[in-house]
Amino acid sequence: MQEYLNGLNEPQREAVTHIKGPLMIVAGAGSGKTKVLTTRIAHLMNNGVDAFNILALTFTNKAAAEMKERIERILGNAEARNLYIGTFHSVFARILRAEAHRIGYPNSFTIYDTDDSRSVIKTVVNELNLDDKHYKPNVVGSRISSAKNALVGPAEYATDYYIQQEDMRANRPAIAQIYAAYANRCFKNGAMDFDDLLLKMYELLKNFPEVLHKYQHKFKYILIDEYQDTNPVQYQITKLLAAVHENICVVGDDAQSIYSFRGATIENILQFQKDYDDVKVVKLEQNYRSSQNIIHVANEVIKNNKGQIPKNLWTENKQGDKIVLVRTMTDNDEGRFVADCIQEQKLRYHFYNKDFAILYRTNAQSRSFEESLRRMGIAYRIYGGVSFYQRKEVKDFLAYLRVIANTRDEEALKRIINYPVRGIGKTTIEKCVIAANEQNISMYEVVSRAGEFGFKAGTLEALQNFHTMIRYFQSMLTNTNAYDVAIQVGKHTNLVKELFNDKTTEGLARYENIQELLNSIKEWTESPSNEDGELGDKSLGSYLQQITLLTDADDDKGEQDAVKMMTIHAAKGLEFECVFVGGVEETLFPSGMSINTREELEEERRLFYVAVTRAKQKLWLTYANARYRFGQLVQNDPSRFIEEMPEQYIDKTYAGGGARNNAGSDMGSAFERMQRGFGFGGSSNAAAAERKYGPPPSRKPSSKPEYLPVQPPAAKVVAHVPSADFVASDTSQLQAGQKVEHQKFGFGTVSSVEGSAHNPVATIQFEKNGEKKIMLNYAKLRIV
DNA sequence: TTGGAGATTTTTTTT
DNA sequence: AAATCTCCAA
């Protein structure tokens, strides 16, 4: 008997060993879903299914790579490299690359990221003489994206009564026109946006029976992870692919559906049973991840949602700690609390940095956490946000490569035609675009035939030089790999040199980024196989196509001992020993944008459910009375989700005061209690904690974190034992020049008092700990 | 044509 | 607070 089956519980084994026919796995959070998927694939292969006939669609490329690795370990051979595993987008991009000629695209078509796509929309809006203030690229773009995800093309969009009504009501009747122009322009540019990778794949299968036939018979077994987050195009594609063999296995949890803004619909998972006869349904309800308390809270909150697949998530794990609710004055206090708390937990329970995750609803919230962690000297890594490949200098460099691989790519061409500056200004670019539109040729072709369009001598020369350079790069394309081309681009454009000569801090960072980019291209070129196991294709085109689809989660720089910070969306599928969820406030979580309909609110609640169920042992929910938004302090109420959690599982020690308007509470503000308790107060330093709890274990974290604390000056507080007679003085009249004693920082001299009358802030020069800004309303100071 | 000062806008969430 | 856009002088 195959021993890999032994580690499975009953329903898991059922899911793994069901080989023929449609299978739906309803997998609760932490129920061993990945294990089931990998074991199932291994089991299929062990039972004679050829790896080449298996397609597995995952949510991130990293998940795909991990699965491959685990399967190899189970099987003990390298067969897994032949599997087709990847995200919808990367798998389809690969197929489209092979079939591009059928639909009029170059096989090295460009993949536009969101920025590129918005930029094209803006161009198109202006060309149609519409106001881009009213037809905002973001608004129009998301409208187009929804249409594509729902399989609505430009023609149908323009004639659909309901859609048109909506656009009329929003006073944006021209969106249909923009959609059509946008689609045309993308095609003309030889480019696909993210949605096109799905839509064109669908059209390919729909319009070319021989292609459909080919892939139907190639993919005899199909597995789809995170099925609750698939949208109608993805649904239709998989339905087409699975139509012959019907060996389709979907895994999902309706309670974790959090991508409706991307067109995902729970309908897909609810519909699955009706689509095929004889669907086997397996429910995985035992949670192996979290404590009893965490599971109870999660279950209780999600009950407030209507209409779900009934299930009962349970665990045999121990009860665990209560969920800690934390209220602070501002977002900065929130950051400080979390950083202090991590420090304390590490000392007390011997956790490593990597055991902690800070999750939040919006990327912008990372700032205050980042600052506090840095001050404390705690290593951290932020996932998401602006990714490496979105940085301006990186995009600029890549734009060269894009033009070389695909001259139709007008977006890229416009980016680089005058970068570095070579005297081809806005007017000239506009002229080129207009000429291109008139003649119905690409902008690049105008540049290449610049002599025919009556440019001034100087301009003409600049254009011709540019064209000669690009042609030179292209001549290397056929017999050189991506890295060699990139190096030549760096040399001949003077880009690298120019950045090198820029000695400002930002210039230096930009230079380093380009170096890193070149290194990563080199690494990619030299690695034996691509991420999907395809051997050999080290061309520039191949490189460019995978680069756009990489996400931050994918570039895993090894297990680092760093606190992880990311949005809740990005945390899907992950787990951590200790989790902080920040900004649990009305208008933030649930988002102010998503409280207008029941559906929206329920999705926010599912998001809350996802956040809570990421934690294995410990969970903190923090919220601030007020936080900065657009540089202004705004008040917020605690999130409604807090009230939905049963009291008995909640520790409210830190949830009392905080607000000034809550003076009746005898708890004192969270900040005050923090000072009384851990982190502050002279005695609770590392040495004391070590005396009390013993030395940290010798197990070493595996590698260096990406963000090692740069300068840890503030982190190392020189311990101060307060005077025996320490009594906080009335500091309302505090003035510059006075000497004071602080419980933690020791003696110092006030250098200034600023801030509003309600919230005075003193800058104090401490003898041992340097300059600190102290909020007088909260800090306890003794005037000496 | 270029670059910079000042004005304006932006925050959901992501492949 | 930060990023992007607009306008103007050189």
Side-chain angles (χ1 to χ4, degrees), chain A residues 526-560:
Chain A
E526 288 170 357
S527 71
S529 69
N530 295 354
E531 109 275 341
D532 48 15
E534 189 182 18
L535 284 158
D537 189 356
K538 294 299 173 192
S539 70
L540 187 60
S542 167
Y543 170 75
L544 288 172
Q545 268 172 2
Q546 49 105 40
I547 210 76
T548 319
L549 298 173
L550 282 184
T551 62
D552 238 23
D554 295 331
D555 90 284
D556 192 14
K557 306 213 167 87
E559 236 324 60
Q560 306 166 329

Side-chain angles (χ1 to χ4, degrees), chain A residues 29-207:
Chain A
S31 60
K33 174 188 71 156
T34 312
K35 188 177 179 183
V36 167
L37 270 174
T38 49
T39 316
R40 185 180 145 80
I41 294 174
H43 185 71
L44 288 174
M45 290 165 67
N46 216 18
N47 281 270
V49 177
D50 192 339
F52 283 101
N53 294 136
I54 299 175
L55 169 67
L57 297 166
T58 59
F59 206 69
T60 62
N61 291 305
K62 188 184 167 197
E66 267 172 24
M67 274 174 67
K68 237 179 221 185
E69 210 176 289
R70 284 169 78 156
I71 294 164
E72 271 178 23
R73 227 177 306 141
I74 297 173
L75 292 175
N77 63 38
E79 266 299 295
R81 74 170 51 181
N82 299 322
L83 292 163
Y84 240 94
I85 302 190
T87 61
F88 276 91
H89 291 85
S90 65
V91 165
F92 295 167
R94 185 175 156 195
I95 295 176
L96 283 166
R97 185 167 159 77
E99 312 287 343
H101 58 279
R102 294 178 198 269
I103 51 175
Y105 279 85
N107 74 336
S108 56
F109 63 85
T110 303
I111 297 173
Y112 279 163
D113 66 15
T114 310
D115 288 342
D116 299 321
S117 151
R118 296 299 183 262
S119 163
V120 175
I121 291 175
K122 202 174 165 191
T123 311
V124 160
V125 166
N126 287 325
E127 281 177 7
L128 290 170
N129 284 320
L130 296 164
D131 180 8
D132 64 7
K133 286 272 156 16
H134 183 59
Y135 288 97
K136 290 192 187 127
N138 269 324
V139 176
V140 178
S142 63
R143 197 95 178 115
I144 293 175
S145 176
S146 315
K148 287 185 176 179
N149 284 320
L151 285 162
V152 176
E156 195 184 342
Y157 190 98
T159 50
D160 185 281
Y161 176 77
Y162 178 72
I163 292 173
Q164 285 310 306
Q165 281 299 305
E166 259 184 2
D167 280 351
M168 293 303 265
R169 234 175 299 147
N171 196 23
R172 280 188 253 270
I175 292 186
Q177 201 188 350
I178 300 169
Y179 182 10
Y182 170 73
N184 271 334
R185 181 55 63 87
C186 284
F187 178 75
K188 195 181 153 203
N189 290 358
M192 299 195 197
D193 64 18
F194 288 134
D195 304 316
D196 285 333
L197 293 177
L198 308 175
L199 191 62
K200 302 291 172 195
M201 180 71 196
Y202 174 76
E203 288 171 2
L204 187 69
L205 296 177
K206 200 75 186 158
N207 300 335

Side-chain angles (χ1 to χ4, degrees), chain A residues 593-605:
Chain A
M593 318 290 286
S594 305
I595 44 174
N596 300 316
T597 67
R598 158 153 249 113
E599 289 70 33
E600 285 172 349
L601 186 64
E602 293 202 345
E603 176 146 326
E604 293 289 307
R605 192 176 282 113

Side-chain angles (χ1 to χ4, degrees), chain A residues 606-674:
Chain A
R606 290 193 294 269
L607 198 52
F608 187 78
Y609 178 85
V610 170
V612 166
T613 52
R614 293 314 93 194
K616 292 165 85 169
Q617 303 185 34
K618 294 172 174 237
L619 176 63
W620 289 260
L621 305 178
T622 66
Y623 55 102
N625 288 333
R627 70 174 59 237
Y628 283 93
R629 208 171 194 205
F630 303 138
Q632 273 200 316
L633 204 60
V634 289
Q635 301 272 135
N636 275 334
D637 289 330
S639 168
R640 65 190 75 189
F641 299 142
I642 287 176
E643 293 155 32
E644 297 176 5
M645 304 190 298
E647 297 257 343
Q648 72 218 80
Y649 306 119
I650 310 298
D651 174 358
K652 290 193 172 172
T653 319
Y654 295 99
R660 192 170 300 122
N661 58 14
N662 207 354
S665 161
D666 59 357
M667 298 287 230
S669 78
F671 196 78
E672 281 174 276
R673 269 173 288 109
M674 273 167 54

Side-chain angles (χ1 to χ4, degrees), chain A residues 202-335:
Chain A
Y202 174 76
E203 288 171 2
L204 187 69
L205 296 177
K206 200 75 186 158
N207 300 335
F208 298 87
E210 70 276 21
V211 177
L212 177 63
H213 186 264
K214 174 170 151 194
Y215 288 102
Q216 276 176 336
H217 288 278
K218 176 166 174 54
F219 301 132
K220 294 194 171 76
Y221 292 83
I222 300 174
L223 299 92
I224 308 168
D225 195 6
E226 308 284 7
Y227 196 64
Q228 76 281 355
D229 285 319
T230 53
N231 60 35
V233 208
Q234 294 170 321
Y235 168 84
Q236 292 296 345
I237 294 169
T238 52
K239 206 173 163 191
L240 280 174
L241 287 175
V244 174
H245 295 282
E246 295 204 344
N247 294 318
I248 178 169
C249 163
V250 301
V251 188
D253 178 5
D254 55 314
Q256 295 185 66
S257 162
I258 54 174
Y259 277 94
S260 73
F261 68 92
R262 217 162 79 183
T265 158
I266 312 188
E267 282 306 303
N268 288 353
I269 200 163
L270 302 178
Q271 179 71 29
F272 189 78
Q273 288 183 74
K274 296 171 197 159
D275 283 339
Y276 303 92
D277 301 328
D278 216 16
V279 175
K280 166 107 178 164
V281 179
V282 176
K283 284 187 193 175
L284 306 180
E285 297 177 302
Q286 180 174 3
N287 171 295
Y288 293 95
R289 179 188 294 155
S290 311
S291 71
Q292 296 267 354
N293 280 344
I294 290 168
I295 297 298
H296 285 314
V297 165
N299 278 342
E300 212 52 47
V301 171
I302 202 69
K303 264 190 200 162
N304 291 293
N305 277 7
K306 292 181 171 172
Q308 316 167 54
I309 299 176
K311 70 176 109 47
N312 167 40
L313 196 64
W314 60 279
T315 183
E316 281 174 355
N317 292 345
K318 59 181 187 190
Q319 175 152 23
D321 294 349
K322 287 185 175 182
I323 282 82
V324 185
L325 211 53
V326 181
R327 178 177 204 169
T328 63
M329 285 296 295
T330 66
D331 47 352
N332 292 324
D333 294 340
E334 184 185 38

